[in-house]
Amino acid sequence: MYHQNSCLFYKSYAYDNEYNGLSHCVDEGKRLAKVLGDNRVLFMCNHGVLLTASTAERAFDDMYYLERACMFQVRKRQKCNVILFCCKFSKKDCYLE
């Protein structure tokens, strides 16, 4: 489903399927930065979202619209009786449409 909120994040997000628990070292930050790459948003499997922005105001705005895009996606899938969650997320199967 394309929605004006989800279009803000078109091709600017990545997924991290490896949740290693709490990070206590710099190596985990480097790994996440590598997975994030040139994207603005990183969805971390079973953990949450990491969002990058140039200012706190921009980050707040982006997070608000990202949450709205996700909300519309979930509502659409519920209405169409589509399975919402899979055991292992992949960019092919689970994405902002």
Side-chain angles (χ1 to χ4, degrees):
M1 177 177 104
Y2 291 99
H3 186 273
Q4 67 185 18
N5 292 333
S6 61
C7 289
L8 291 170
F9 304 99
Y10 181 69
K11 292 188 178 183
S12 65
Y13 56 91
Y15 290 93
D16 178 25
N17 290 321
E18 298 177 28
Y19 177 60
N20 298 323
L22 294 175
S23 176
H24 298 290
C25 63
V26 174
D27 293 337
E28 180 66 6
K30 289 180 181 179
R31 187 188 72 77
L32 290 174
K34 184 177 178 183
V35 174
L36 181 65
D38 293 331
N39 297 300
R40 295 179 3 217
V41 179
L42 176 63
F43 290 97
M44 297 181 285
C45 181
N46 298 320
H47 185 65
V49 178
L50 176 105
L51 188 135
T52 61
S54 57
T55 65
E57 293 84 0
R58 180 67 193 191
F60 180 86
D61 196 56
D62 283 351
M63 188 58 81
Y64 172 81
Y65 287 108
L66 179 63
E67 187 275 333
R68 299 292 291 177
C70 293
M71 179 191 71
F72 285 117
Q73 183 72 14
V74 168
R75 285 185 179 177
K76 174 236 176 189
R77 288 179 180 241
Q78 286 173 335
K79 190 170 188 171
C80 296
N81 293 322
V82 175
I83 296 173
L84 289 174
F85 304 102
C86 50
C87 295
K88 188 169 184 176
F89 289 102
S90 70
K91 193 164 187 171
K92 177 184 171 195
D93 297 328
C94 306
Y95 57 93
L96 292 173
E97 297 174 344

